[in-house]
């Protein structure tokens, strides 16, 4: 059994408009997941420095960010990052260019837990419905190719406000959608923007939204999570 989660950390800027990476780390520790994909994990302008300093993360949690070595001071790629428990074996990692109107990307981690391997996709899709569907098509194609070798887990902020249309329809044709719940806005959740999806080689047993006093302040999104079994 693995616990996985996805969290748009809003560059560590909370609902009080203060940047406080320590609050994000507190929420990560509350979630207590084995794998967490992050969105908006880097600052937007300048050198795109990590919103959560790596040394702070490692000092105050059991997580480490999979090193992508793409941007010097960043945690991830276009704000996407994958956090894993420190003993987790990372076999490979990659970045994915996707069609975009504004800078967007996806990341893929090839991970191993207790002898079982899986590919984890982290993503943050466009605000535009047309570009979201183009991005979804590219990610689905790549994920289905990966699925031939191992189970695939996809997590992130899809920015899709509809209940079942748009890119959700595209993803649901190829993968199982986990029902987590409304995650945005953290103060009063009205939209199911953050999603967890998986291939047939993975089974979800329980899922939800992590709604705590700390999470309501740390970011404008609440984290979503699921318990899964692989194989």
């Amino acid at each position: 059994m693995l616990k996985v989660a996805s969290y748009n950390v809003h560059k560590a800027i909370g609902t009080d408009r203060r940047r406080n990476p320590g609050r994000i780390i507190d929420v990560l520790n509350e979630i207590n997941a084995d794998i967490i994909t992050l969105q908006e994990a880097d600052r937007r302008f300048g050198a795109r420095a990590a919103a959560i300093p790596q040394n702070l993360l490692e000092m105050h949690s059991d997580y480490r960010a999979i090193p992508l070595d793409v941007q010097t001071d960043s945690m991830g790629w276009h704000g996407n990052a994958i956090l894993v428990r420190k003993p987790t074996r990372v076999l490979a990692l990659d970045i994915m260019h996707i069609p975009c109107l504004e800078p967007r990307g996806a990341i893929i981690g090839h991970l191993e837990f207790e002898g079982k391997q899986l590919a984890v996709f982290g993503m943050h899709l466009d605000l535009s419905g047309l570009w979201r569907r183009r991005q979804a098509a590219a990610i689905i194609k790549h994920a289905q190719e990966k699925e031939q070798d191992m189970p695939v887990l996809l997590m992130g902020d899809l920015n899709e406000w509809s209940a079942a249309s748009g890119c959700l329809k595209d993803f649901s044709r190829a993968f199982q959608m986990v029902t987590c719940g409304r995650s945005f806005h953290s103060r009063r959740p009205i939209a199911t923007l953050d999603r967890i999806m998986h291939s047939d080689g993975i089974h979800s047993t329980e899922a939800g939204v992590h709604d705590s006093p700390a999470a309501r302040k740390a970011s404008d999104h609440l984290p979503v999570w699921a318990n899964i079994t692989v194989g």
Side-chain angles (χ1 to χ4, degrees):
M1 180 76 71
L2 292 173
K3 186 175 185 181
V4 299
S6 183
Y7 190 14
N8 184 328
V9 299
H10 194 49
K11 298 174 283 294
I13 299 174
T15 51
D16 58 1
R17 300 183 181 180
R18 295 175 54 201
R19 188 187 304 277
N20 188 335
R23 291 191 299 201
I24 297 295
I25 294 174
D26 290 341
V27 176
L28 295 176
N29 288 330
E30 288 181 353
I31 300 168
N32 194 31
D34 299 289
I35 308 168
I36 305 178
T37 59
L38 301 183
Q39 302 82 49
E40 299 192 32
D42 301 321
R43 300 192 186 192
R44 185 172 183 180
F45 301 108
R48 303 273 297 180
I52 307 167
Q54 182 71 16
N55 62 343
L56 192 68
L57 180 69
E58 293 187 353
M59 285 175 59
H60 297 285
S61 79
D62 290 329
Y63 295 103
R64 60 186 173 95
I66 295 179
L68 293 171
D69 298 326
V70 179
Q71 295 165 280
T72 305
D73 297 321
S74 301
M75 176 177 281
W77 166 249
H78 289 305
N80 294 293
I82 299 176
L83 303 184
V84 295
R85 295 281 190 189
K86 290 174 182 176
T88 303
R89 190 178 178 200
V90 180
L91 302 178
L93 49 94
D94 201 1
I95 62 173
M96 181 179 174
H97 296 272
I98 57 177
C100 60
L101 182 62
E102 57 177 322
R104 296 280 177 178
I107 58 176
I108 307 106
H110 179 183
L111 310 179
E112 183 178 87
F113 293 88
E114 297 181 356
K116 294 184 178 181
Q117 298 181 19
L118 74 160
V120 178
F121 283 67
M123 68 193 78
H124 188 185
L125 302 191
D126 206 282
L127 295 171
S128 160
L130 174 63
W131 285 99
R132 274 199 304 275
R133 297 198 74 172
R134 291 175 178 174
Q135 292 164 356
I139 291 169
I140 290 166
K141 181 177 183 295
H142 193 53
Q144 287 179 318
E145 292 171 355
K146 282 281 187 185
E147 190 182 356
Q148 297 175 20
D149 300 320
M150 69 194 77
V152 172
L153 178 70
L154 306 98
M155 301 191 287
D157 180 356
L158 302 192
N159 264 322
E160 181 61 71
W161 286 73
S162 68
S165 59
C167 72
L168 295 182
K169 182 185 292 185
D170 302 327
F171 278 114
S172 63
R173 288 194 191 104
F175 299 102
Q176 301 292 319
M177 306 287 294
V178 179
T179 302
C180 295
R182 297 173 179 175
S183 56
F184 181 85
H185 186 281
S186 58
R187 284 185 171 176
R188 187 181 178 185
I190 59 171
T192 310
L193 302 186
D194 303 282
R195 298 280 182 166
I196 297 175
M197 305 164 283
H198 58 79
S199 66
D200 289 338
I202 294 173
H203 303 278
S204 58
T205 59
E206 189 179 8
V209 175
H210 181 81
D211 188 355
S212 70
R216 291 186 210 117
K217 290 184 65 176
S219 169
D220 59 351
H221 286 245
L222 294 172
V224 296
W225 61 270
N227 289 331
I228 65 169
T229 57
V230 180

